């Protein structure tokens, strides 16, 4: 069974960088598939942030592209999200998920982690 | 703001049926596969439907979906209290070059 678990600071100061890790178990990232990040601001819907392939190729939501960096560490079987210059609008529950990319779905999701941007 | 529009909520009694619409455009739903997700707050979203109308293993056939033109529909029959959740449609938007989700629909079991 594929399982994903997000981890990282729950509180980030405005203008700083939000950093999260998604640990994958039950599947080797090196075996393939894409791996994505999605967020949900309080009281709002889901927003795709970006997706990374196991070889490191990245695909970003154009609305966030200038501030997002995704990376993958196959030796640790995890992938990471960095979002810089955060503001209160970046406060959200952040989810990681296995992605089939494009019009194909996210089939396994993590439980999500709340990140609050506040001084 | 999402490019896919869903009704904010739908309601029905246990055992009844509900349908949830997802309205998009020619740059997203019309020429791309649609997925549907069930999300109970505080839990991981669950994939219910992919490629417009296919169910992953373990998803009961009470959940069904269809697509026509620029709209898609999720149906839930034999409604159960455990079905109370938020439901989202999702697809690819070719104009935005982005995966997009619907605005979400809260299903209430009366």
């Amino acid at each position: 069974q594929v399982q994903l678990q997000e981890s990282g600071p729950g509180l980030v100061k405005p203008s700083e960088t939000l950093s999260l890790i998604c640990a994958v178990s039950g599947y080797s990232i090196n075996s393939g598939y894409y791996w994505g990040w999605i967020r949900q601001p309080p009281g709002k819907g889901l927003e795709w942030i970006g997706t990374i392939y196991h070889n490191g190729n990245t695909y970003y939501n154009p609305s966030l592209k200038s501030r997002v960096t995704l990376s993958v560490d196959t030796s640790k079987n995890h992938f990471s999200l960095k979002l810089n210059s955060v503001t209160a609008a970046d406060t959200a529950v952040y989810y990681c998920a296995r992605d089939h990319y494009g019009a194909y779905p996210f089939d396994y999701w993590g439980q999500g982690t709340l990140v609050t941007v506040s001084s | 703001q999402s490019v896919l529009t869903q009704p904010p909520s739908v309601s029905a009694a246990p055992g009844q049926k509900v349908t949830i619409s997802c309205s998009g455009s020619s740059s997203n739903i019309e020429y791309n596969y649609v997925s549907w997700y069930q999300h109970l707050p505080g839990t991981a979203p669950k994939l219910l439907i992919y490629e417009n109308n296919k169910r992953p293993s373990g998803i009961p056939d009470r959940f069904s979906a269809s697509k026509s033109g620029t709209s898609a529909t999720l149906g839930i029959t034999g409604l159960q209290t455990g079905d109370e959740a938020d439901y989202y449609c999702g697809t690819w938007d070719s104009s935005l070059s982005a995966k997009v989700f619907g605005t979400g629909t809260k299903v209430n079991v009366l």
Side-chain angles (χ1 to χ4, degrees):
Chain A
Q1 175 78 346
V2 180
Q3 294 184 313
L4 298 95
Q5 180 66 57
E6 307 87 352
S7 63
L11 180 64
V12 181
K13 290 182 168 54
S15 79
E16 295 190 345
T17 297
L18 179 160
S19 297
L20 295 174
I21 288 174
C22 180
V24 179
S25 58
Y27 187 85
S28 171
I29 287 180
N30 220 15
S31 297
Y33 284 111
Y34 298 82
W35 305 89
W37 290 94
I38 305 98
R39 69 180 182 179
Q40 183 176 33
K44 297 187 178 181
L46 301 170
E47 179 182 33
W48 174 64
I49 298 170
T51 290
I52 186 165
Y53 192 46
H54 71 94
N55 65 1
N57 288 349
T58 52
Y59 310 86
Y60 298 128
N61 188 325
S63 68
L64 295 168
K65 185 175 183 177
S66 64
R67 298 195 292 130
V68 175
T69 302
L70 301 188
S71 59
V72 62
D73 188 333
T74 55
S75 67
K76 295 181 180 178
N77 215 41
H78 73 214
F79 59 105
S80 303
L81 163 69
K82 291 188 185 298
L83 179 67
N84 59 37
S85 304
V86 297
T87 69
D90 295 309
T91 294
V93 176
Y94 285 76
Y95 297 95
C96 59
R98 191 173 77 171
D99 189 1
H100 291 250
Y101 197 50
Y104 297 93
F106 298 101
D107 58 354
Y108 292 97
W109 295 64
Q111 294 279 90
T113 187
L114 174 63
V115 180
T116 301
V117 178
S118 174
S119 55
Chain B
Q1 56 278 33
S2 177
V3 298
L4 305 180
T5 303
Q6 299 178 230
S9 66
V10 295
S11 302
Q16 297 301 302
K17 175 181 179 179
V18 294
T19 60
I20 300 170
S21 60
C22 175
S23 178
S25 69
S26 58
S27 67
N28 42 65
I29 289 179
E30 186 167 20
Y31 297 110
N32 292 291
Y33 286 130
V34 176
S35 302
W36 289 90
Y37 304 90
Q38 178 191 62
H39 188 206
L40 285 77
T43 69
K46 178 193 291 187
L47 176 65
L48 291 178
I49 299 286
Y50 67 100
E51 293 181 16
N52 300 334
N53 55 19
K54 297 178 181 178
R55 287 186 308 276
S57 174
I59 301 300
D61 59 6
R62 300 189 299 107
F63 296 91
S64 64
S66 62
K67 189 183 86 168
S68 178
T70 60
S71 293
T73 302
L74 174 72
I76 310 173
T77 59
L79 205 60
Q80 302 175 0
T81 55
D83 297 331
E84 281 205 330
D86 297 319
Y87 292 80
Y88 293 90
C89 56
T91 186
W92 177 260
D93 190 290
S94 305
S95 295
L96 298 174
S97 293
K99 292 178 82 99
V100 292
F101 292 96
T103 48
T105 298
K106 169 71 173 174
V107 169
N108 297 300
V109 182
L110 303 174

